[in-house]
Amino acid sequence: MSTEMGDIRHYENANILTNKKGEELVIDLGSIDTQSLLMEGEIQTYTNILSAREMDSLTALCDTILPAVDPPENTADESLVRFYKTSASMAGTPEHLGRMISHRLRHHVFLIRFLLFMLSTRLGTFVFGGIHSLSICFPFFLKFSELSLEKRQHILLSLSTSCFILFRMAFVGIKLLVLLAFFTQVDESEENPSWEAIGYCGPDPDFVSKKRNESSQSLGYITPKSYHSSPTTEVQAQAQAQSKYDLYGPLYKGIISVKYPQEILTESLKRCGIHVSVNRKKKNSEKPKITIQCDVVVVGSGSGGGVVAGVLASAGYKVVVIEKGDYYARTNLSLLEGHTLDHMYEGAGMISTRDLGVNILAGSTVGGGSTINWSASIRTPPHVIKEWANVHELEIFDSPLYKEALEVVCEKMEVQSDVSDEGFNNAVLRKGCLELGYPLVDIPRNAPPDHYCGWCCLGCKDGRKKGTCETWLKDVVNSGNGVILTGCEVAKVLYGRQKGRNRDTAKGVMFDITSNDHQSSCVIVEAKATIIACGALNTPALLRRSGLNNKNIGKNLHLHPVVMAWGYFPDSEPLSSLLSDNQGDQVWPQKQKKSYEGGIMTTMSTVVADFNDSGYGAVIQTPSLHPGLFSALMPWTSGSNIKHRMTKFSRTAHIFALSRDVGSGIISTSPFDISYMMDPIDEANLKKGVEKMLRILAAAGAEEIGTHHNSGESINVKKATYHEFEKFVKRESSKEIQGLSTPVASAHQMGSCKMGVDPRTSVVNQMGESWDVEGLYIADSSVFPTALGVNPMVTVQAISYCTAQSVLEYLKRKKK
């Protein structure tokens, strides 16, 4: 869309804009952002602001981690030869990474840039590299880029094991960034030079083919004026609406982007039945003020906000949902790992705790985590319900309402446990557990049995995964009572004291917007009830910025820390067989299966869960790892070693241990400022998990197994003796997990605004209402009293369903 717009004329179902060239364009109201639709997921480019000295160091670091090396002997595959002989700088990674650091990295930027500057000097290189930076020739001290590859690699390895935490942080940060950048960057054809060599196909080939066919159809949202000049029959109109639904998903009528020009934004809201007023009078440098009035404002559209919005809109209340992220309809997905991390994950997928001890993944798009999660739909475990009801005295969890909530949300998401064809990682986990007699549980999923898709962590390509976009948010749109504003980051919650009240009352929220035509406005959303549902990372930060002083806000953060183990299953030789359906022996694992394909989670083991005793332990599940995250997790001991590991990517299975953590952390006024301390109990449970995982992988038939510990040790199971194997398992499972020696990850964040019965120890009451502000509710995983121990989506939705009933009662009282 041109940013230079002229007159705007309003028609029944559209606005016609005349640009300065006199060209008329038609824009459907209440539809998704026209620009992003037409761009079809075009990759955003950023400028690189790093200095020449910093880039010199960054280039040397990239070529140290991923240098050009000789391929193994007798390597005939041209793609493999190319991969080994291509350095990171030859692929343009330094420049790509420079742009990431300049614009997408949200924390520890100073540390990275300080490292780059220091390594661009001789003295700084000596500080980090010691004797490895010295030369027998003048000038005797060399800067990092002047050193040989061998010396540069020695320096990086010494940083990884340094006694100084900042040195270890520098290594972990730069290793993660370089590998993530190299294996996710794509050219104009959306290809990566390494993918063929490592056995990765990129985006789902079926989806890419379908997308090409659909993009050739003339169904844009910016069309010639003639689009509306001739009448259409009812049948044609229905067919057109169905085509748009198929192409752009179920929410296209209810999404309104704040990037629209101000007139389009306000008109779109009015046509959706939302009252809007604009104060154009400017005092000094004040921005124009847009005031939106509704019954309920919901901040966040994930598993918490989506449920509340759907329930309230269906009950007839006017609901405005505000989402920081953008809407990516089915056909507008890229299914590219780098692009998706950049656009649909919080902090471009590069959030971590202050000490880089835990790497955190969280959704930041319409639908929140439910849009990019791994489909696991596990009900609140009975022992957790018992603990929350009895120990924490929260009667809501032992009530008929909570039981009803679990039934309602599972039915809404069409949760079921069958699977017609198991993916590679899950097949490995299942076989290993069966061989060892470990307990197995089929994971309920919000996807059908034949949903064989390993790309759901990058968005669901066909809408068969029932996240909030396909369920509760669809109710918001279909009810005609709500809209979803995208690209809005709420600055603060509005509240004030009314006469005769002993506490403040919520009045709505405020945020600033800048449209594509560069108009800046302050937007006030006035509402009778305010629901904050922006997740356990963003909700406490927003409440703190809004001036709430409850000392419990931001505390009690649980992360479900995860550690992984891997096993390599070559496809060049037959492995053990399984009897399948009484039809004879079937070679397993099937040669054609790849590690990144298939249902992401279909089975898990509770062998170290310890649910019957303390209720704390670890479950063993499977991850979704595409090349970028896979490479960032794998240990780095040399450039040739990491390339060798990556050539085995497609046949390397991963399983992980997820701990129900006793330890907790704190969030300040920023979701990127997180401190977390793992409890010794959690580390012990994870170590038990490492031992079981290694045994599972070996029992499943892996040729080689290992962990992600920075030592990079592994063992060839086929060649090792029993005693060698036992010694390896014992050694690896006893290694320290904390201290940046092993990557720890988190995909579940909870508890940072905990629910309780005492305002001195909690943030909200059993109804989900803030102790401090009347009419202010929290509906996301931040209200969990403790860590959950399993995937939280169903529990979040069930609690939010109960909170929605409380909001309904509150709104009824407001009418009286």
Side-chain angles (χ1 to χ4, degrees), residues 410-481:
C410 287
E411 181 180 355
K412 191 77 168 180
M413 292 191 288
E414 301 176 17
V415 174
Q416 59 81 44
S417 302
D418 295 333
V419 57
S420 57
D421 188 12
E422 204 151 39
F424 183 59
N425 291 328
N426 286 274
V428 166
L429 175 56
R430 187 179 295 276
K431 175 162 171 46
C433 288
L434 288 173
E435 292 286 336
L436 295 169
Y438 292 167
L440 274 172
V441 178
D442 290 333
I443 295 179
R445 300 177 298 145
N446 61 338
D450 62 344
H451 191 60
Y452 191 83
C453 176
W455 285 268
C456 269
C457 59
L458 310 177
C460 188
K461 63 184 180 181
D462 51 21
R464 300 178 76 202
K465 182 179 76 170
K466 300 301 180 182
T468 60
C469 287
E470 304 291 336
T471 53
W472 301 100
L473 292 177
K474 188 163 69 172
D475 289 350
V476 173
V477 174
N478 291 345
S479 71
N481 292 318

Side-chain angles (χ1 to χ4, degrees), residues 354-369:
R354 287 179 185 172
D355 61 356
L356 297 181
V358 184
N359 300 303
I360 297 171
L361 291 178
S364 182
T365 185
V366 174

Side-chain angles (χ1 to χ4, degrees), residues 71-142:
E73 293 183 8
N74 304 319
T75 302
D77 189 311
E78 290 185 9
S79 66
L80 281 172
V81 172
R82 243 183 349 260
F83 174 55
Y84 277 101
K85 291 189 173 183
T86 299
S87 67
S89 62
M90 291 168 64
T93 302
E95 183 63 27
H96 177 66
L97 183 52
R99 293 192 293 267
M100 287 174 60
I101 294 171
S102 300
H103 295 279
R104 302 305 291 154
L105 195 62
R106 298 295 298 270
H107 51 181
H108 298 304
V109 177
F110 174 79
L111 176 63
I112 295 296
R113 296 192 69 173
F114 177 73
L115 173 68
L116 296 179
F117 172 77
M118 290 290 285
L119 293 181
S120 71
T121 67
R122 291 181 171 87
L123 178 59
T125 304
F126 177 73
V127 170
F128 281 99
I131 61 173
H132 297 300
S133 66
L134 301 180
S135 170
I136 59 174
C137 302
F138 183 81
F140 307 117
F141 290 83
L142 301 178

Side-chain angles (χ1 to χ4, degrees), residues 201 204 373-375 419-427 445 447-457 461 592-602 622-626:
C201 66
D204 185 343
N373 71 9
W374 300 348
S375 303
V419 57
S420 57
D421 188 12
E422 204 151 39
F424 183 59
N425 291 328
N426 286 274
R445 300 177 298 145
D450 62 344
H451 191 60
Y452 191 83
C453 176
W455 285 268
C456 269
C457 59
K461 63 184 180 181
Q592 73 275 11
K593 285 193 174 180
K594 307 296 184 185
S595 63
Y596 55 89
E597 296 175 338
I600 298 171
M601 282 185 168
T602 54
T622 58
S624 175
L625 294 178
H626 290 259

Side-chain angles (χ1 to χ4, degrees), residues 214-232:
E214 289 175 339
S215 64
S216 64
Q217 301 179 33
S218 56
L219 265 176
Y221 276 87
I222 296 183
T223 59
K225 181 183 174 183
S226 58
Y227 179 91
H228 281 266
S229 61
S230 58
T232 59

